[in-house]
Amino acid sequence: MIKIAVLGYGTVGSGVVEVIARNQARVLESAGEEIAVKYILDLREFPGDPFEDKVIHDFSTILNDAEISIVCETMGGVGPAYQFTKQALEAGKSVCTSNKELVAKHGTELLSIAADRHCNYLFEASVGGGIPIIRPISTSLTAEQIESVTGILNGTTNYILTKMETEHADYHDVLKLAQELGYAERNPEADVEGHDAGRKIAILTALVTGREVDAEKIYTEGITGICSADFVFASEKGMKIKLLARSRIREDGKISVLVAPFMIPLEHPLSSVDDVFNGVVLTGNMLGDTLFYGRGAGKLPTASAVAADVIDCARNQGRTIMRGWGPEKAEMADAAEEERRFFVRCAASAASQVAEAFWGKDNTEASEGIFLAEEFGFFTPVIREKDFREKCRELGECVSGAIRLL
Ligand code: HSE
């Protein structure tokens, strides 16, 4: 029998305990041995909980117990979670986690300790919730040169954007609902400002390049600037608005990464990824596009991915199966030099001034502009990010909103 410890009995931690208990027979069959939760570490007591007798408050009990070979870190954050993970790995105990913040910030070091101690640091649940994405990149697509990764990687914001689009719901009401459903981060700013998606694309990009990607250097825009008028224009144009995390591995070896809302055509595979679902399109040089789709947040889907990692650790005791990436840093391209088209919205009275600023005087018909209510919306030609921002600065308050086009 394999004994494990769960650090943090919150949404995901309690989900891991539940998945292992409810799917006991399947877990046994997959792992080849029974897996039992011996300890649950949390600051709180859980009177009346079926697993209350497993709750402890001192991590050293876990660290010093030779029977514990696998630890699930579902605490979140980069404080105690980092210390506990490091100590567990140094003691040769494998660690499975959903903690993308920790993987993005200290993954390089933690993967290296795991390799030195012949154990594993696995983090399938850290990106895409329950969607298998880390394992396919590490084991199935190893002959591919991955050219780009494009994903809807945050369930909370996708849920909010979907409800704003389909139910004309109020942003704050939907955010509250997402929190109640257990989708949002403790501080939902990380979701709505795009930082959570930024950490996830950093992890995926590190995996496909084999190099460390600094999440803090990724250009990130969240969804707080999106309003109901944007959805009306998008729908008129046969497009949807999605928060995309996107990385492109350029021919010069640099990586171009950003997180931002995009207008995407209905024909794009990610346009039908709605609600809390996540989707990732990986483009390989031999395979072309592959879409991964599933529940990107929530207790049981995320816990299922952590439990699958536990099973992998159980099957591979004494053997490191995931190298992840090394200490060399990926070189980031300057996001301001990227070229693309934009959707621009302005007051109807400023339509010709704003359209001319991008298209020139005789060319504004090419902008596919439309008037709706008191506003005018159009598409710019391909333009460098930095030139676009400069023009918007010059136009000042004439521009009411702008969204990148995919
Ligand atoms: N807050 C995250 C999300 C949880 O909404 O996607 C899953 O990582």
Side-chain angles (χ1 to χ4, degrees), residues 98 100 125-126 128-129 153-157 182-185 191 196 200 276 278 296-298 302:
S98 54
K100 54 260 156 160
S126 68
L153 294 179
N154 184 266
T156 301
T157 46
Y183 300 158
E185 297 301 299
D191 295 299
D196 178 75
K200 291 167 176 170
V276 72
N278 281 192
T302 310

Side-chain angles (χ1 to χ4, degrees), residues 309-326:
D309 279 349
V310 170
I311 290 168
D312 239 2
C313 291
R315 284 169 168 170
N316 292 285
Q317 305 239 37
R319 196 165 75 93
T320 304
I321 52 170
M322 239 268 283
R323 300 282 158 184
W325 58 86

Side-chain angles (χ1 to χ4, degrees), residues 180-198:
E180 283 164 15
L181 289 165
Y183 300 158
E185 297 301 299
R186 255 179 295 180
N187 175 5
E189 200 180 302
D191 295 299
V192 298
E193 298 295 352
H195 303 305
D196 178 75

Side-chain angles (χ1 to χ4, degrees), residues 185-313:
E185 297 301 299
R186 255 179 295 180
N187 175 5
E189 200 180 302
D191 295 299
V192 298
E193 298 295 352
H195 303 305
D196 178 75
R199 290 168 188 141
K200 291 167 176 170
I201 194 71
I203 295 170
L204 294 184
T205 310
L207 278 173
V208 302
T209 59
R211 294 180 183 177
E212 182 179 279
V213 175
D214 185 347
E216 283 171 19
K217 290 200 179 131
I218 295 176
Y219 178 84
T220 303
E221 265 178 39
I223 62 162
T224 50
I226 303 292
C227 67
S228 54
D230 293 314
F231 290 104
V232 179
F233 277 101
S235 148
E236 281 296 314
K237 287 290 180 189
M239 301 187 102
K240 302 254 279 201
I241 301 170
K242 295 290 180 192
L243 182 71
L244 296 186
R246 189 164 157 72
S247 69
R248 196 163 58 81
I249 293 84
R250 304 189 334 179
E251 278 175 11
D252 62 6
K254 289 187 185 169
I255 54 162
S256 158
V257 198
L258 92 164
V259 176
F262 276 78
M263 271 198 191
I264 64 177
L266 290 178
E267 308 79 60
H268 193 280
L270 293 177
S271 79
S272 50
V273 176
D274 286 332
D275 291 310
V276 72
F277 285 84
N278 281 192
V280 186
V281 175
L282 291 181
T283 308
N285 65 337
M286 299 292 141
L287 181 65
D289 288 350
T290 307
L291 172 68
F292 297 81
Y293 171 81
R295 283 181 193 279
K299 177 173 168 163
L300 294 175
T302 310
S304 172
V306 178
D309 279 349
V310 170
I311 290 168
D312 239 2
C313 291

Side-chain angles (χ1 to χ4, degrees), residues 124-187:
E124 181 62 70
S126 68
V127 180
I131 309 174
I133 179 73
I134 305 282
R135 202 169 276 104
I137 292 177
S138 321
T139 61
S140 314
L141 300 173
T142 42
E144 280 297 310
Q145 197 68 49
I146 303 290
E147 294 170 340
S148 66
V149 182
T150 308
I152 294 174
L153 294 179
N154 184 266
T156 301
T157 46
N158 204 37
Y159 183 76
I160 294 173
L161 291 175
T162 304
K163 297 286 176 219
M164 285 175 78
E165 179 199 324
T166 56
E167 296 171 17
H168 312 288
D170 174 73
Y171 169 85
H172 293 101
D173 292 346
V174 195
L175 173 58
K176 199 158 160 270
L177 214 53
Q179 286 174 293
E180 283 164 15
L181 289 165
Y183 300 158
E185 297 301 299
R186 255 179 295 180
N187 175 5

